[in-house]
Amino acid sequence: MRLALAAALTLLTGAATAQTCGGDVGSFIAGVKAEAVATGIPAATADAFFAGAQIDQSVLNADRSQGVFQQDFIQFSRNLISQNRVDNGARNSQRFDSTFRAIETRFGIPRGVLLAFWAFETDYGAVQGNFNTRNALLTLAHDCRRPDLFRPQLIAAIELYRRGGMDPATTLGAWAGEIGQLQKLPREIVEKGMDGDGDGVVDLKNSAPDALMTGANVLSSLGWRPDEPWMHEITVPANLDWAQTGLTQKRPVSDWAAMGVTERQGSLGPSTLPAAILLPMGRNGPAFMTYPNFDVYFEWNRSFVYVTTAAYFATRLSGAPVYNAGNPSPALTGDQMRLLQERLTARGHDVGGIDGILGAMTRNAVQAEQARLGLPADAWPTLDLLNQL
């Protein structure tokens, strides 16, 4: 018993010494400095990087208040996609045509994909954030919510400073530590940053070609398949087996076509390409066919509604029409969604947390319960489902 207790205390002491998050800020910074030096960064560089560094409470406030992702797809997309953003997308497509052509040749990524990210992340470079990047990363690395994500980014920021790619005292960006016109984290900049304008410098804040080329390099590294589609709006037959829909239910395009699925405009992807049917607001709302490249979007951003909207906007910027909104059942309120998630969790489903957000895990659980209860299994939660649970 005493030996077991002693071993446990030793483990706890070791963990406290390592201090991967939380605790005294000075001790935490000292640990980060030591880790940075172990990677080959000079001690003087690490010291200079942290001179004047401090925890930023406004970063934590922003991290805890992401209620915008509780909106449904129609609300979210209509809020983010304006005619002004469509028009500016066309203008920027022409203005940086040579950069987009180079990206299309080298990476096989259509310009609409990057234009959509550029629009949503910073309104084409106009709004890049006013949080001190070093302090934001320090705050999130020290916070024990996601230290495994942000501590490596803090180390990468020191390396980026060593290379002359940021000034810890003056570089500003998003609250989560992203920098530049496409809002990339330091590690992505260090590993994937590219000089798109040929001036010998990678400047993601002031150079759109640098930001766009870097964004394309990141997407490519995440698995983007060159010259393949990512999403098409479709029309689905009323008698489709809804339990076969959802991002985890992939089958060749030819199979879906045989079931009566058609593209709303143009043609579907290659017949042998694996595809899924996405109904972001159920069988009576918008309908899309998604392909392997759509999955890459989730490596850029984990929000289901953001990813779906960004992928759709990319199709709009590539010439697709405004989606058919249909007549979906009303969305649950945030409180109702949290109650639903609690009831799903009580039935043994992993919904990824009680946050009032209809993410991919909650949708999977909803679809499973719809099938169990004999309801149309289209993954769209309704008040009827909530009451039956």
Side-chain angles (χ1 to χ4, degrees), residues 60-80:
L60 296 176
N61 295 341
D63 186 40
R64 304 306 196 258
S65 60
Q66 300 186 62
V68 64
F69 296 117
Q70 292 183 4
Q71 296 177 3
D72 62 53
F73 169 70
I74 291 178
Q75 288 176 314
F76 191 84
S77 62
R78 287 178 176 173
N79 285 337
L80 261 67

Side-chain angles (χ1 to χ4, degrees), residues 1-353:
M1 184 78 169
R2 288 182 179 179
L3 287 175
L5 179 60
L9 288 173
T10 300
L11 287 173
L12 288 172
T13 303
T17 301
Q19 196 182 348
T20 56
C21 68
D24 176 72
V25 176
S27 299
F28 175 79
I29 290 176
V32 174
K33 286 182 180 179
E35 186 176 342
V37 170
T39 68
I41 295 173
T45 301
D47 288 340
F49 178 85
F50 283 107
Q54 57 187 344
I55 298 296
D56 186 345
Q57 182 60 45
S58 65
V59 169
L60 296 176
N61 295 341
D63 186 40
R64 304 306 196 258
S65 60
Q66 300 186 62
V68 64
F69 296 117
Q70 292 183 4
Q71 296 177 3
D72 62 53
F73 169 70
I74 291 178
Q75 288 176 314
F76 191 84
S77 62
R78 287 178 176 173
N79 285 337
L80 261 67
I81 300 172
S82 64
Q83 189 59 48
N84 184 58
R85 278 187 166 168
V86 173
D87 294 341
N88 281 340
R91 281 191 286 269
N92 280 307
S93 177
Q94 291 182 341
R95 182 182 177 189
F96 297 102
D97 180 67
S98 62
T99 299
F100 285 118
R101 286 179 181 274
I103 288 171
E104 289 158 359
T105 298
R106 179 167 182 171
F107 297 107
I109 300 174
R111 63 184 65 197
V113 172
L114 289 162
L115 283 166
F117 281 130
W118 194 12
F120 288 177
E121 297 292 350
T122 65
D123 219 356
Y124 302 109
V127 185
Q128 298 188 33
N130 57 4
F131 291 84
N132 178 278
T133 298
R134 174 201 56 198
N135 291 345
L137 291 169
L138 169 62
T139 300
L140 294 168
H142 178 264
D143 182 43
C144 288
R145 187 166 174 235
R146 289 171 293 173
D148 55 330
L149 169 62
F150 288 105
R151 187 182 180 104
Q153 297 296 343
L154 185 58
I155 300 292
I158 305 173
E159 172 61 21
L160 190 60
Y161 165 57
R162 185 184 73 81
R163 298 184 184 187
M166 71 170 287
D167 181 340
T170 62
T171 296
L172 303 179
W175 64 263
E178 300 102 337
I179 302 171
Q181 298 191 32
L182 261 68
Q183 299 285 270
K184 305 318 299 172
L185 286 164
R187 193 169 184 176
E188 293 174 312
I189 301 173
V190 168
E191 296 178 354
K192 305 298 178 183
M194 293 187 68
D195 173 18
D197 57 18
D199 67 354
V201 177
V202 176
D203 182 0
L204 305 193
K205 291 182 69 67
N206 301 301
S207 170
D210 287 7
L212 293 166
M213 192 67 75
T214 297
N217 196 23
V218 169
L219 284 173
S220 179
S221 71
L222 293 174
W224 189 274
R225 293 162 59 150
D227 305 314
E228 288 188 7
W230 60 98
M231 168 189 276
H232 283 131
E233 187 182 4
I234 55 174
T235 300
V236 293
N239 63 348
L240 188 69
D241 181 0
W242 307 113
Q244 299 302 311
T245 64
L247 297 179
T248 62
Q249 311 274 1
K250 292 181 171 63
R251 60 181 66 226
V253 169
S254 58
D255 285 9
W256 293 115
M259 295 180 201
V261 174
T262 59
E263 188 177 6
R264 186 174 169 219
Q265 177 178 293
S267 59
L268 299 175
S271 62
T272 58
L273 198 61
I277 303 300
L278 173 60
L279 307 172
M281 297 186 66
R283 67 195 186 282
N284 296 317
F288 302 97
M289 181 173 286
T290 66
Y291 307 98
N293 279 334
F294 181 80
D295 298 335
V296 178
Y297 275 80
F298 283 100
E299 301 298 326
W300 184 290
N301 189 296
R302 302 304 298 175
S303 165
F304 178 91
V305 70
Y306 176 96
V307 162
T308 305
T309 302
Y312 158 69
F313 189 39
T315 69
R316 276 286 306 280
L317 292 168
S318 301
V322 177
Y323 62 74
N324 178 8
N327 187 31
S329 301
L332 299 182
T333 66
D335 287 341
Q336 289 172 333
M337 188 65 71
R338 280 186 283 272
L339 180 57
L340 174 71
Q341 289 174 322
E342 290 173 359
R343 292 179 179 176
L344 290 169
T345 301
R347 294 199 62 83
H349 296 286
D350 181 4
V351 299

